Amino acid sequence: MNKDLRSFIGEARQLGSAFYANVSRPVDPIFEPCVIQQKLAAEGRYPVIRCEKVNGSEYPLVTNVFGNYDLLGLALGVDPLEPKSAILQRFIQGEANPIPTKTVQRADAPVKQRIFINEDIDLSKLPIIHHAENDSGKYITVGVLVVKDPDTGVLNAGMYRHELQGKNLLGCMFNPAHHGGYIYRRYKELNKRMEAVLFLGHHPAALIGSLCEGPMDLSELEVMGGMLGEPLEVVDGETVDIPVPAFAEIAIEGYLDPSNETKDGPFAEFTGYYGPAKDPVGMMNVTAVTMREDAIYHDLDPAHQEHNLAGTLSLESTVYDNVKHLCPTVTGVYMPVSGSCRFTVYVSLKKRVPGEGKSAGMAALTANPNIKIAIVVDDDIDIYDEQKVLWAIATTFEADRDMAIIPNAMGSHLNPAAYGEVRTESGPMNTKVIIDATRPATLHFEEPIKPPREVWEKINLKEYLD
Ligand SMILES: Cc1cc2nc3c(=O)[nH]c(=O)nc-3n(C[C@H](O)[C@H](O)[C@H](O)COP(=O)(O)O)c2cc1C
């Protein structure tokens, strides 16, 4: 059986209420699914949420697919009993073993069960959500856009926000540093239209693969296969020469004409703050919509932690590579939700050499411009437990000796604390900090207290507690 969004929802449902919640009462597409998600989060609950009925649409909606780190593990087939570090290792393995796509016939592609072309296209029939009060409108937030590099023919995939701007029009915002942005600019130089397929709703392992930060000549469609552990099955487009994932829920085909652009934003961002309006952004003219008979619409609340978590493994893997290059004994990398899964990184290390903690911190900071705080701990500290990380800082770190501050470095303009070349103005720079909370490599240091191993292993709480 092919892995797809519904096979994943089925798995989540089987695991019970910690992983799956159903909403049968109709919800309003203005804010309501997000607020349900946020209220659950306020109770410490992050299940996949299925809304059976969204007012004004015939399609059900699923959200919170990337709601917490455990769901990322479930997506990548990691046993929940394995340590959390296995999730990053599984991602690294999938990234290193891309699988070529497999083309199937239309009859074998559920995404072709319903086809709308020309006048029959009406995107407003989809339950596209208005997520936050100051957002400029309704956005498709978790669609994957596939385009072709005009020079190499390599297919590029990435997630970019798409604002609903008409029944067959979508805004499309590329960060200029992303490959999608490079390719779009290249079409602009060539004065050509860029064909595209925006697909919605697939197995989250495939979506995680679409966010991989590999080189531009590696197609993310193959990395999606690596993450799925099976080839991504694709089928020809109806109106474009771009393959469509056959087991997607919905595929939107069209083209972006760089001579006819639009604007979008403001937009609630992964930082928990609004990002500014963007002008210009690309505009997608939709030429076909194909979908399953009973298509499920996949949404993601961009100001909820699921936005941050969706892309976190890709970033963690980049940091892991960078640190491992310099410090081969790195044992773990984690980008916590408390740092928006972008700004703060925890690195654990089996320290062998004096100074290795600071060096690991430098390598982590340079892996991605978003990162501004790198905290390095010894390998016996559980980096997935923030209390343990803070304890390591409190008991091993002295600020005058173990901290390095690097001002005026390339950062993220979306971080509200960022500044420009004039320090009091906002801009794209951040001050980076390394906190080296590792113990000395060669000098004596107090031993952390641990329970005796044989007693720990012997005691089964169920046998001791009344
Ligand atoms: C939910 C979500 C929404 C995103 N929205 C955008 C976006 O609007 N524009 C953008 O350039 N990147 C966005 N990103 C980040 C890119 O999808 C990601 O960096 C991807 O690897 C870019 O691929 P590319 O370098 O092949 O273009 C988003 C990521 C996630 C997880």
Side-chain angles (χ1 to χ4, degrees), residues 8 10 18 38 64 118 125 159 196 200 214 257 269-272 278 281 297 336 362 382 388 411 433 438:
F8 180 74
Q38 287 156 11
N64 219 22
N118 298 330
K125 291 191 169 157
M159 245 174 229
L200 308 178
D257 177 355
E269 275 291 358
F270 68 89
T271 53
K278 296 272 172 157
V281 301
Y297 178 81
M362 284 193 277
D382 178 1
K388 296 276 167 34
V433 58
T438 56

Side-chain angles (χ1 to χ4, degrees), residues 404-426:
I405 296 178
I406 304 130
N408 303 317
M410 193 163 78
S412 163
H413 74 281
L414 283 177
N415 188 313
Y419 52 87
E421 286 181 318
V422 175
R423 187 64 165 88
T424 48
E425 288 177 0
S426 64

